[in-house]
Amino acid sequence: MIRKLQAVALDCADPVRLAEFYVELLGGRVVADPDDADWVEVHGFEGTPLAFQRAEGYRAPEWPGQDRPQQLHLDFDVDDLEGEEKRALALGATVLERTDQLRPGANWRVYADPAGHPFCLCLH
């Protein structure tokens, strides 16, 4: 039996830059492996650690299209959707869809991190 999910790893062109984005967004700290510059992790926030690995020729996913599918996305619980959106955008995220403004009853918005990975801020 598997004990726990160790990390969620995302491919990207610049692991350090993307790890720094998520540290600013979530808190925690960057954990770099001095023997492997192509793998960087973020630890110390509530939840499963995130890892970032360099992928040569990385191409960002296209959302919502499937020419370059997202394959996964991250959902984050927030108490203040407007405030956290402003913070995420200031850190380098971009808005993909303000779902809560398009669909009655929706409580989330979709963004892309600086490497193009979709993630959602979900009001709870």
Side-chain angles (χ1 to χ4, degrees):
M1 172 80 65
I2 295 172
R3 290 183 16 209
K4 70 175 186 173
L5 179 61
Q6 178 181 333
V8 173
L10 301 173
D11 288 351
C12 59
D14 186 344
V16 172
R17 167 66 185 104
L18 197 54
E20 289 170 347
F21 168 81
Y22 279 102
V23 163
E24 292 298 319
L25 187 68
L26 303 171
R29 66 192 180 287
V30 173
V31 179
D33 181 344
D35 297 324
D36 186 358
D38 292 339
W39 182 270
V40 179
E41 297 181 5
V42 173
H43 292 245
F45 62 92
E46 186 175 337
T48 300
L50 296 176
F52 308 94
Q53 65 181 2
R54 184 178 324 279
E56 293 304 320
Y58 172 77
R59 294 174 51 211
E62 292 179 349
W63 186 92
Q66 291 298 304
D67 289 336
R68 291 193 314 251
Q70 63 178 322
Q71 298 183 9
L72 70 89
H73 71 271
L74 304 170
D75 287 347
F76 300 108
D77 287 345
V78 299
D79 293 322
D80 175 6
L81 193 53
E82 295 295 331
E84 291 303 321
E85 175 179 279
K86 287 178 187 173
R87 202 166 68 77
L89 296 176
L91 294 171
T94 55
V95 175
L96 296 177
E97 180 179 275
R98 289 190 174 98
T99 311
D100 64 321
Q101 297 172 2
L102 299 173
R103 298 185 203 163
N107 67 339
W108 70 91
R109 294 180 184 170
V110 185
Y111 305 87
D113 69 22
H117 303 105
F119 70 93
C120 296
L121 298 179
C122 308
L123 184 62
H124 284 248

